[in-house]
């Protein structure tokens, strides 16, 4: 019995709970807000006795207008009223009926609508039969049905994941596609949150986006979310679109989310981005690698391109032999297929274990040594890769190697070891590494690394070939320049030659100091246009030609004219004549290479202190005269020498000028590299040179250094040749000069003058030889010459005798017949002197001989042997 009150109490509590849940207010947006439901009742007499407010809205009649009227006559068209009355009578007899009835739409301009009506028989208080009618507007009902069907189709049949979140951000509904991806039935996802599907950081991003959409009403488009599904450990990529959902009154009731799997699109976009990035990297490499002809600089340029754009750490090792310049490229080995790289030890001249030097290293990670294949190596250190190591295998097979991290504690997770191939030969090894946190290397990265290493290798090999050619040209060029410090009578000589550095090619600049008869000196400076070995060879040919022409003792203008013919013949196989004929035919002219050069040729006579200068398109000489005592230094003066055309142009004669040089004057000859550069105008350079030479009293070597240090020569852009000469002249007592009449006794007079002059010079040991040879030359001048005879003795480093006459005919040494009484004078001169010769002058010719001074390295022959005497007489 005690259980009965408890059961009653429980029933009462349950009833109260049911009562509370039954009578609470429906939330806005219920189904009745969308479906227009009206009601009215029909009394026992078949007339309307009750009319609801919804009925007023649906039919457009007020209760006063509808109550008491026949519903058939009030709403149905005349042609349907007979049937309507029968149906109302049946309903009042107790039958239920459901059907469609037409009605007039309020304010519809006579238009009719269709309503679905449900008629339920009822009884009045007195027991009479009546009816309750419930009416629904079919248009609203069909619209709702259509919307429900469309909503179900969109939600249920969508190929994309569809979620409906409530205002508490929990899942209210999930479609079948979403359940297929994340598992389980669609109903099982109700009540879950985004943290049940995504990693924490991604779930937080998604939850924040949901809150923002719910609060602001602004939709979110293409929110990229990454996460894994239960069926796969690989990350998937989704594009999420979120928008707020409202009820019929406009109040937010949740958030709709559509997720589209864009993993393939993401991978394709990343692939395309990687391709674009690699193409940009290769394009940048084409612009930045190989701008220098230095091997180490080229290696550093490779790392500047790849770190950090391609990798985090990188290093370049080159073979030590290649860096030292003793790495000659061999011929392709026999039996190897074309296109297969030459392996070290197979025609490359190197074994895989040959030493390498680390020439460059770069890191985007602070204090991170390059690990992986081999122990860390410092820049500049020479090392070998152990046999079997990835580096040794890459060098031996000429194939790249991918090395993964050995342990989880390693900073470097992935390394590409790439041999550097140039023209089928391995020149070194490049390593590219990525640290943890970066994407590991893939096949596309491997191809890019091979291409980058190959480009750098070709540039390095070109630099090696250039350096070898540059060194050979430099050796050739230096071998053609005057050795040591040149010496000249009456001149103090100083010179400088600065070749282009390793970043430029060897040019064709040269200078020369040539001793001429009569203690005269030829000063030559020239410049072959162009660079490289060909220019150096052309310079050597022109320098040799200048020395050969100088031995003929021609005037400076004649020397340049002959040299112009030589230059015109350098570019044509057949010489100058072939070059002239080729110039008449453009096709042949294209085949012949033109060598152009500039040159200035000056001859200095220390007796007269006069310099004769001719110029072939070269820089004008600079003359600095000594300042008077107490006066400020004078700036240099550009000598006005007609420049003429460069050598090799042809067709124009050269002019020469004579300049008197005072004692202590300074004459400077130079090439354009001293006064002109890309950033250094010629006029400015010439002005600077004149100012730098303003104090010629200093030692000549110091003057040379001062000029090079003062001028902005931009050394390395071009070769620089500088030749300076300070005028000293021969002392007056070192010259004997006499005029002899044209008569027989002048021979004896010449002997007497020579015998009187030599003891004053302390040359008693040369009296007999000098007297004999002077007698022979004066005799020849009397016998074969014209006009007065001039005898001159010059003392400097040697003794020179000159005999002048007005006849232009040159004497010729010949072998006299046994029956000839004369014709042996020049033979005696040639046997007894250190040298002899003849040259033309403006007023005739000069015949000369030279004797070394006592104590010199080569003494003259003072007595003729029996064999020499017999040779003279047959």
């Amino acid at each position: 019995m005690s259980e009965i009150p408890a059961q009653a109490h429980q029933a009462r509590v349950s009833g109260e709970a049911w009562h509370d849940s039954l009578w609470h207010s429906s939330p806005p947006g219920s189904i009745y807000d969308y479906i227009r439901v009206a009601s009215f009742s029909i009394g026992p007499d078949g007339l309307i006795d009750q009319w609801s407010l919804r009925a007023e809205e649906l039919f457009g009649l007020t209760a006063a207008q509808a109550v008491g009227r026949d519903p058939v006559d009030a709403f149905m068209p005349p042609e349907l009223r007979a049937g309507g009355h029968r149906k109302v009578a049946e309903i009042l007899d107790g039958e239920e009926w459901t059907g469609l009835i037409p009605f007039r739409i309020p304010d519809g301009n006579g238009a009719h609508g269709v309503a679905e009506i449900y008629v339920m028989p009822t009884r009045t208080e007195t027991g009479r039969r009546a009816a309750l009618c419930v009416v629904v507007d079919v248009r609203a009902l069909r619209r709702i049905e259509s919307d429900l069907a469309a909503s179900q189709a969109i939600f249920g049949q969508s190929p994309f994941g569809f979620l409906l979140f409530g205002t508490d951000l929990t899942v209210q509904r999930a479609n079948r596609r979403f359940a297929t991806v994340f598992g389980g039935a669609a109903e099982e996802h109700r009540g879950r949150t985004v943290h049940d599907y995504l990693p924490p950081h991604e779930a937080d991003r998604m939850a924040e986006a949901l809150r923002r959409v719910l609060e602001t009403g602004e939709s979110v488009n293409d929110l990229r979310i990454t996460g894994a599904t239960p069926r796969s450990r690989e990350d998937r990529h989704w594009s999420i679109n979120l928008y707020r959902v409202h009820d019929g009154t406009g109040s937010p009731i949740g958030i709709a989310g559509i997720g589209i799997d864009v993993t393939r699109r993401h991978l394709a976009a990343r692939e395309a981005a990687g391709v674009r990035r690699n193409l940009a990297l290769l394009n940048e490499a084409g612009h930045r690698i190989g701008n220098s002809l230095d091997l180490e600089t080229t290696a550093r340029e490779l790392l500047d391109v790849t770190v950090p754009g391609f990798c985090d750490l990188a290093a370049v090792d080159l073979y030590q032999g290649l860096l030292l310049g003793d790495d000659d490229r061999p011929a392709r080995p026999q039996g190897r297929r074309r296109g297969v790289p030459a392996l070290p030890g197979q025609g490359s001249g190197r074994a895989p274990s040959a030493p390498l030097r680390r020439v460059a290293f770069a890191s985007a990670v602070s204090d991170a040594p390059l690990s992986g294949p081999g122990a860390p190596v410092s820049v500049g250190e020479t090392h070998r890769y152990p046999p079997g190591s990835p580096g040794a295998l890459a060098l031996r097979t000429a194939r790249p190697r991918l090395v993964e991290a050995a342990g989880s504690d390693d900073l470097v997770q992935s390394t590409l070891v790439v041999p550097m191939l140039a023209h089928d030969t391995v020149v070194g090894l490049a390593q590219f590494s990525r640290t943890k946190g970066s994407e590991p290397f893939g096949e596309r990265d491997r191809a890019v690394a091979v291409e980058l290493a190959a480009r750098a290798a070709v540039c390095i090999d070109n630099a090696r070939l250039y350096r070898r050619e540059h060194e050979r040209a430099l050796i050739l060029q230096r071998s053609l320049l005057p050795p040591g410090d040149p010496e000249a009578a009456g001149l103090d000589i100083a010179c400088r030659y600065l070749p282009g550095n390793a970043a430029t090619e060897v040019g064709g600049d040269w200078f020369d100091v040539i001793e001429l008869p009569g203690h005269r000196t030829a000063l030559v400076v020239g410049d072959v246009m162009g660079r490289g070995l060909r220019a150096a060879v052309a310079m050597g040919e022109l320098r040799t030609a200048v020395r050969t022409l100088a031995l003929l003792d021609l005037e400076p203008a004649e020397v340049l004219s002959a040299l112009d013919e030589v230059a015109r013949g350098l570019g044509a196989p057949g010489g100058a004549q072939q070059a002239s004929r080729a110039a008449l035919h453009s096709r042949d002219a294209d085949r012949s290479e033109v060598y152009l050069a500039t040159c200035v040729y000056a001859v200095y006579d220390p007796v007269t202190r006069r310099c004769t200068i001719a110029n072939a398109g070269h820089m004008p000489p600079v003359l600095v005269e000594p300042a008077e005592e107490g006066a400020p230094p004078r700036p240099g003066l550009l000598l006005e020498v007609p420049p003429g055309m460069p050598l090799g142009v042809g067709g124009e004669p050269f002019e020469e000028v004579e300049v008197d040089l005072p004692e202590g004057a300074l004459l400077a000859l130079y090439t354009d590299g001293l006064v002109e550069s890309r950033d250094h105008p010629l006029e400015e350079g010439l002005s600077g040179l004149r100012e730098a030479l303003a104090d010629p009293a200093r030692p000549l070597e110091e003057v040379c250094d001062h000029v090079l240090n003062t001028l902005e020569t931009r050394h390395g852009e071009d070769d620089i040749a500088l030749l300076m000469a300070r005028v000293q002249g021969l002392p007056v007592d070192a010259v004997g000069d006499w005029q002899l009449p044209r008569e027989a006794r002048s021979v004896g007079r010449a002997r007497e003058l020579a015998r009187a002059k030599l003891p004053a010079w302390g040359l008693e040991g040369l009296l007999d030889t000098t007297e004999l040879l002077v007698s022979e030359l004066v005799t020849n001048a009397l016998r074969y010459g014209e006009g007065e005879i001039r005898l001159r003795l010059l003392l400097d480093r040697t003794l020179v005798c000159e005999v002048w006459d007005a006849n232009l005919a040159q004497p010729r040494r010949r072998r006299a017949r046994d029956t000839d009484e004369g014709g042996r004078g020049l033979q005696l001169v040639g046997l007894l002197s250190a040298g002899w010769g003849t040259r033309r002058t403006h007023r005739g010719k000069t015949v000369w001989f030279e004797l070394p001074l006592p104590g010199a390295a080569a003494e003259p022959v003072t007595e003729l042997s029996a064999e020499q005497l017999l040779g003279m007489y047959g």
Side-chain angles (χ1 to χ4, degrees):
M1 295 296 293
S2 60
E3 293 179 356
I4 296 176
Q7 292 175 351
H9 174 73
Q10 182 176 3
R12 185 172 63 253
V13 171
S14 299
E16 292 176 355
W18 176 83
H19 182 273
D20 292 339
S21 64
L22 180 64
W23 290 101
H24 77 280
S25 299
S26 298
S30 66
I31 188 65
Y32 300 103
D33 292 335
Y34 299 94
I35 302 176
R36 300 178 65 183
V37 180
S39 64
F40 63 92
S41 61
I42 302 174
D45 55 359
L47 302 178
I48 299 173
D49 60 0
Q50 289 184 357
W51 190 255
S52 68
L53 297 178
R54 284 288 182 92
E56 292 183 1
E57 296 176 3
L58 179 62
F59 296 104
L61 297 176
T62 65
Q65 294 173 329
V67 173
R69 296 186 61 182
D70 186 342
V72 175
D73 296 336
F75 305 114
M76 298 187 66
E79 62 274 12
L80 299 178
R81 290 175 181 173
H85 286 294
R86 287 194 301 272
K87 183 59 64 179
V88 170
E90 293 175 358
I91 293 171
L92 293 177
D93 288 339
E95 292 184 8
E96 292 186 0
W97 180 77
T98 300
L100 300 177
I101 61 173
F103 67 93
R104 291 189 299 271
I105 298 176
D107 301 329
N109 297 324
H112 290 73
V114 178
E116 185 176 66
I117 187 170
Y118 176 44
V119 182
M120 297 173 288
T122 62
R123 291 183 182 274
T124 64
E125 294 178 355
T126 60
R128 300 181 62 185
R129 294 182 182 275
L132 176 64
C133 301
V134 178
V135 184
V136 178
D137 188 349
V138 175
R139 296 175 303 168
L141 186 61
R142 297 295 177 262
R143 185 166 57 250
I144 292 174
E145 291 176 348
S146 176
D147 291 345
L148 288 175
S151 175
Q152 183 62 30
I154 294 174
F155 193 84
Q157 301 174 19
S158 172
F160 310 120
F162 208 135
L163 288 177
L164 182 62
F165 295 91
T167 55
D168 58 353
L169 305 186
T170 61
V171 176
Q172 300 298 314
R173 188 177 180 186
N175 70 342
R176 191 164 47 248
R177 174 59 181 169
F178 183 87
T180 301
V181 173
F182 286 92
E187 292 77 10
E188 297 176 3
H189 294 276
R190 186 185 300 274
R192 294 183 180 181
T193 66
V194 292
H195 289 82
D196 296 322
Y197 305 104
L198 299 175
H201 63 284
E202 293 288 76
D204 292 341
R205 290 180 57 228
M206 182 73 174
E208 177 61 27
L210 289 170
R211 281 191 292 270
R212 187 169 63 253
V213 172
L214 184 62
E215 293 172 359
T216 65
E218 297 179 358
S219 61
V220 172
N221 298 318
D222 197 22
L223 174 64
R224 294 303 177 95
I225 296 295
T226 302
T229 62
R231 299 180 182 180
S232 174
R233 295 184 178 179
E234 296 182 359
D235 283 342
R236 309 294 294 179
H237 299 269
W238 291 285
S239 173
I240 306 298
N241 298 306
L242 304 174
Y243 59 94
R244 192 168 68 181
V245 181
H246 305 85
D247 60 14
T249 63
S251 299
I253 60 173
I255 305 168
I258 301 175
I260 303 174
D261 191 335
V262 294
T263 304
R264 291 184 180 180
R265 187 193 309 171
H266 174 79
L267 295 177
R270 189 174 65 177
E271 183 76 15
V275 171
R276 288 193 299 269
R277 183 176 62 252
N278 292 336
L279 289 176
L281 185 69
L282 294 176
N283 182 61
E284 183 183 7
H287 287 87
R288 296 180 59 181
I289 298 178
N291 295 322
S292 170
L293 289 173
D294 181 75
L295 279 72
E296 292 84 353
T297 302
T298 302
R300 289 193 294 269
E301 290 171 346
L302 171 63
L303 302 193
D304 291 341
V305 171
T306 56
V307 178
F310 179 72
C311 60
D312 301 315
L313 305 169
V316 175
D317 300 324
L318 297 180
Y319 278 107
Q320 178 77 350
L322 182 143
L323 294 168
L324 296 178
D326 57 358
D327 183 70
D328 292 332
R329 186 175 299 280
R332 184 184 298 273
Q334 298 294 328
R336 186 164 57 86
R337 291 185 292 108
R338 185 172 183 86
V340 178
L343 305 181
Q346 297 184 357
S348 68
R350 305 181 218 93
S353 60
L356 298 100
R357 187 196 305 171
R358 178 144 299 174
V359 295
F361 172 76
S363 172
V365 182
S366 60
D367 301 330
L370 182 65
S371 60
V377 179
S378 302
V379 175
E381 183 179 346
T382 301
H383 66 101
R384 287 181 172 88
Y385 285 103
S389 64
L393 292 175
L395 292 172
R396 181 170 59 84
T397 61
R399 298 179 182 276
R401 296 274 171 166
L402 178 61
V403 182
E404 301 292 346
S408 58
D409 296 334
D410 292 343
L411 173 65
V412 176
Q413 69 164 342
S414 180
T415 299
L416 276 173
V417 184
V418 185
M420 303 179 71
L421 288 170
H423 310 298
D424 294 346
T425 300
V426 178
V427 300
L429 192 71
Q431 298 182 43
F432 308 101
S433 297
R434 290 180 178 174
T435 57
K436 289 191 174 180
S438 300
E439 184 179 357
F441 288 115
E443 287 301 320
R444 182 179 66 249
D445 298 319
R446 182 195 296 259
V448 172
V450 170
E451 177 66 20
L452 290 171
R455 293 193 181 192
V458 171
C459 295
I460 288 174
D461 193 59
N462 290 340
R464 177 188 68 87
L465 295 175
Y466 166 77
R467 185 169 65 181
R468 183 173 65 181
E469 180 182 357
H470 182 272
E471 291 174 351
R472 292 176 178 176
L474 191 58
I475 292 173
L476 173 62
Q477 191 175 42
R478 288 178 173 173
S479 68
L480 295 175
L481 295 174
D485 297 327
E487 296 181 356
L491 292 176
D492 183 14
I493 301 293
C495 54
R496 294 290 187 272
Y497 174 72
L498 300 178
N501 58 22
T504 62
E505 298 184 18
V506 175
D509 293 12
W510 90 91
F511 67 91
D512 209 345
V513 179
I514 307 171
E515 296 186 34
L516 299 178
H519 291 310
R520 294 171 305 121
T521 304
L523 305 175
V524 188
V525 171
D527 183 5
V528 176
M529 299 180 186
R531 295 182 181 275
L533 190 60
R534 301 168 69 88
V537 170
M539 177 271 287
E541 293 180 335
L542 291 178
R543 178 179 179 273
T544 302
V546 170
R547 281 192 159 265
T548 303
L549 295 170
L551 294 178
L552 300 178
D553 208 354
L554 302 175
E555 296 296 328
E558 295 177 343
V559 171
L560 293 185
S561 295
L563 196 62
D564 178 63
E565 293 292 333
V566 174
R568 292 170 62 192
L570 292 180
Q577 294 181 353
Q578 180 65 28
S580 299
R581 289 194 297 267
L584 300 176
H585 305 282
S586 60
R587 181 178 301 176
D588 294 335
D590 293 338
R591 296 175 183 174
S592 64
E593 185 171 358
V594 178
Y595 286 87
L596 298 179
T598 61
C599 179
V600 59
Y601 186 89
V603 175
Y604 171 69
D605 188 340
V607 178
T608 63
R609 293 188 180 91
R610 181 170 297 168
C611 186
T612 306
I613 308 174
N615 191 352
H618 201 77
M619 296 284 102
V622 177
L623 175 63
V624 186
E625 297 183 353
E628 298 179 0
E629 187 176 354
R634 298 179 180 179
L637 174 66
L638 295 177
L639 295 180
E640 296 182 359
V641 182
M645 300 297 291
L647 301 176
V649 175
E652 293 292 333
F654 297 97
E655 301 181 33
E656 59 187 38
V657 296
E658 291 186 352
V659 181
D660 292 327
L661 304 179
E663 184 74 15
L666 180 63
L667 183 67
L669 307 179
Y670 52 93
T671 56
D672 57 356
L674 181 66
V675 294
E676 185 178 23
S677 66
R678 287 191 296 267
D679 304 325
H680 193 71
L682 178 59
E683 293 76 10
E684 183 180 342
L686 291 175
S687 177
L689 176 61
R690 293 172 57 199
E691 294 296 332
L693 294 173
D695 187 11
R698 291 186 299 177
L700 204 56
E701 294 293 333
E702 293 184 9
V703 175
C704 285
D705 294 336
H706 176 69
V707 168
L708 295 178
N709 294 331
T710 302
L711 296 182
E712 297 182 6
T713 59
R714 300 291 195 274
H715 175 51
E717 293 183 3
D718 196 2
D719 292 3
I720 296 175
L722 175 63
L723 178 61
M724 290 188 180
R726 176 176 286 128
V727 176
Q728 295 176 341
L730 290 180
V732 176
D733 58 357
V735 179
D737 195 350
W738 305 278
Q739 294 287 343
L740 300 175
R742 190 169 190 78
E743 54 187 28
R745 63 180 182 178
S746 293
V747 177
R749 176 61 178 164
R751 287 197 297 267
E752 293 175 0
L753 293 172
R755 182 170 289 276
K757 192 67 175 176
L758 263 61
W761 290 342
L763 300 178
E764 292 84 354
L766 298 180
L767 279 175
D768 294 338
T769 303
T770 304
E771 184 179 1
L772 175 59
L773 298 183
V774 166
S775 176
E776 287 293 335
L777 293 187
V778 174
T779 300
N780 285 343
L782 286 173
R783 183 177 299 177
Y784 305 108
E786 299 176 358
E788 289 187 350
I789 301 171
R790 183 179 179 185
L791 173 64
R792 189 165 74 170
L793 294 178
L794 307 175
L795 176 63
D796 192 70
R797 290 170 297 167
T798 62
L799 176 65
V800 175
C801 174
E802 296 178 337
V803 177
W804 298 2
D805 68 80
N807 192 347
L808 293 177
Q810 299 288 315
R812 181 173 58 87
R813 181 178 177 179
R814 62 182 179 84
R815 177 177 290 277
R817 295 190 296 269
D818 296 343
T819 57
D820 291 342
E821 296 182 0
R824 297 176 177 85
L826 293 181
Q827 286 183 267
L828 282 172
V829 173
L831 288 172
L832 295 177
S833 67
W836 76 280
T838 179
R839 70 177 183 273
R840 290 191 181 129
T841 65
H842 294 296
R843 296 178 298 275
K845 68 177 181 296
T846 300
V847 183
W848 58 271
F849 68 84
E850 183 177 18
L851 296 176
L853 302 180
E859 294 276 348
V861 179
T862 58
E863 294 184 1
L864 295 178
S865 64
E867 290 80 4
Q868 291 173 325
L869 290 173
L870 290 175
M872 292 175 58
Y873 291 94

